[in-house]
Amino acid sequence: MYITAGEALARTVAAFEPGLMLGMGGFQLLPFYDAARRLGLPHHLINDERAAIFAADAYAKATGRVGVVDATLGPGATNLVTGLVESLNAGVPIVAIVGDTHRDHSWKNMTQESRQVDILRPAVKELLDVTTPLRVPELVKRAFAIATSGRPGPVVINIPESVTHAEWEYDESEFEVNGAFASIPAYRTRPDSDSVLRASRLVASAERPVILAGGGIHLSRAWAELTSFADALNIPVAHTMTGKGAVSDTNPLSAGLFGRYDRIANSTIEQSDLVITIGCKLGEIATKRYTVPPANARVIQIDSVAEEIGRTREIELGLWGDARETLVALLEVLDGQAAEIRQRNAAYAATIPEKMAAWKTSVRARLESDEVPINMARALNEINEILPADGYLIADGGFAAHWGALLFDAKQAGRQFLPDRGFASIGYGLPGAIGASLASPDKPVLAITGDGGFNMMLGELETARRLKTNATIMVVNNAASGYIKALQHLMYGEEGYHASDLEETNFADIARAMGVHGVRVEDPGFFGDSLRECLATPGISVLDVVVTRDPAKMLPGVDSRAAQVKKGDRIA
């Protein structure tokens, strides 16, 4: 096959059967675009490369398959950086194809030229710089292998114009690929048998064990195994923001979110005599700035990345292995004692639904609040009633992710809650909804984004409309950079607001002007019906929800715990 390297690039990518490709082309990648058209690749134009990587990230989170994006050189490449870091920190498999300058003319003031390789390399798991047409199929296959192995992550294929446009004779066999690298996890490992045996003894002797589940459960697709393990031994499970859905929130063993905001989880962890962390990096948010679990806690840490074990705190035992395989191995060793352990833990496990019920009673006033503007707790409570079990909730950075992780109930185990917590940047909501909708066209998709994050991505309403995306974008409209204004209020009082106010905007009007469905709701009595209307309307809908303008009421948390600020604290 005597073809351009750009076509070789497209043919190799096509062999992995990607379900979604988004990008904005330039001259450097035109042979790739032409081949994508002829080969029928599911490739679509995006209006901003940041949106492309966010959408690909959400697609990959929802499906476990590799998200594919492309960008031209210079600003196209640098626009990918924020989303690439999100995927890197969250362990999301992405392959980004980035054009670069013609090598005969590099560093002669070429248009849009920059040190993009140096800029992109720290933002990704690996950067592969293609220097010859000969190696295009090899390096594309290598990119998919790296993206899906170990802790998944983004890989950039940097390909110069002089390579993409060059012709080369390829053998058809070069475009045969290993389908295992199309999705995660490509490989699974188990800890050594001695470590598994030591861990099983600790679990068997514990009287109040608790599991802390992170995003690694989703990367391993270990939902059934975690649920079986917890149920077999009567061990409560708390989750990080990214780990929501590791077990269903309706499971009587679910202690909910732990860390900076929680329902009952933090106190459960504090009283536990053994903490088992699984696929959880124990970073700042999850540990409430490294205070949860307490310093004297006995901790078993399970992770597929060895260097994460013991990274943020002292632990008693580390197990290096895939979450699913490690849980299976532990339960195999404990099988003969499982019934005895389950019975011994029964009274302890029964306290979890009792505490959760008591918590819900204590906060019912805010969950059912009739206050105007709308209380976010009321909105999330109604979302729990309306969004089906298989629906996706996309949560933008800041308020949306914290409120969602705290109050949204995942009704089944699985990755139905898709926050951008790897980098916690805002602007993820709308493109994340596009990615999730294209991943599962028949499932309801609801995204929660702030007015600031929505402002960043308004132009992608056109993309969503063009791609016939079915999703509802709920804009939390508080006419402010809400998190910042709330923190300014907490730390400096009413005289301390600066650069945190936005102009009042009717986003439903903007949505209608852009040809999509728009609804504005200010009264909580109309919220439920408005949400149902948007979810039932084909295409993209914008639900503009007017929420409190009072910074004292903006921080997530429905139980009104007083924030105590000490020097050096980050209080929210």
Side-chain angles (χ1 to χ4, degrees), residues 14 125 181 227 275 286 355-356 358 394 451 559 568:
K125 186 176 178 182
F181 298 126
T227 300
V275 177
K355 291 177 181 178
M356 192 67 78
I394 318 299
D451 40 8
D559 46 5

Side-chain angles (χ1 to χ4, degrees), residues 413-435:
R415 202 165 200 175
Q416 308 302 129
F417 180 65
L418 306 180
D420 64 327
R421 295 311 302 173
F423 210 27
S425 56
I426 62 174
Y428 189 90
L430 173 53
I434 293 173

Side-chain angles (χ1 to χ4, degrees), residues 491-569:
M491 297 191 71
Y492 307 115
E494 295 181 1
E495 304 301 319
Y497 307 138
H498 175 70
S500 55
D501 287 310
L502 297 172
E503 194 68 26
E504 185 69 50
T505 303
N506 187 318
F507 292 103
D509 285 347
I510 292 175
R512 289 190 288 266
M514 295 187 70
V516 302
H517 187 61
V519 178
R520 184 176 175 91
V521 57
E522 303 178 44
D523 187 314
F526 296 105
F527 177 82
D529 287 343
S530 297
L531 176 58
R532 291 185 182 91
E533 174 189 331
C534 289
L535 289 171
T537 300
I540 198 81
S541 291
V542 173
L543 180 60
D544 184 16
V545 181
V546 179
V547 300
T548 184
R549 267 63 175 158
D550 182 355
K553 296 181 178 180
M554 288 180 179
L555 286 177
V558 292
D559 46 5
S560 301
R561 277 173 282 193
Q564 298 177 347
V565 185
K566 302 185 296 293
K567 186 176 181 180
D569 277 357

Side-chain angles (χ1 to χ4, degrees), residues 376 399-400 448-452 474-479 543-545 547:
M376 275 295 290
F399 275 155
I448 304 179
T449 182
D451 40 8
M474 172 179 154
V475 182
V476 179
N477 189 337
N478 54 20
L543 180 60
D544 184 16
V545 181
V547 300

Side-chain angles (χ1 to χ4, degrees), residues 6-30:
E7 180 168 341
L9 179 65
R11 286 183 177 275
T12 317
V13 169
F16 286 101
E17 299 181 352
L20 172 67
M21 295 176 63
L22 293 165
M24 182 184 295
F27 178 73
Q28 293 73 24
L29 291 179
L30 284 186

Side-chain angles (χ1 to χ4, degrees), residues 54 57 61 81-92 123 419-425 428:
F54 283 153
D57 179 275
K61 284 173 178 170
V81 169
T82 298
L84 289 171
V85 177
E86 164 64 33
S87 301
L88 177 67
N89 290 353
V92 178
D420 64 327
R421 295 311 302 173
F423 210 27
S425 56
Y428 189 90

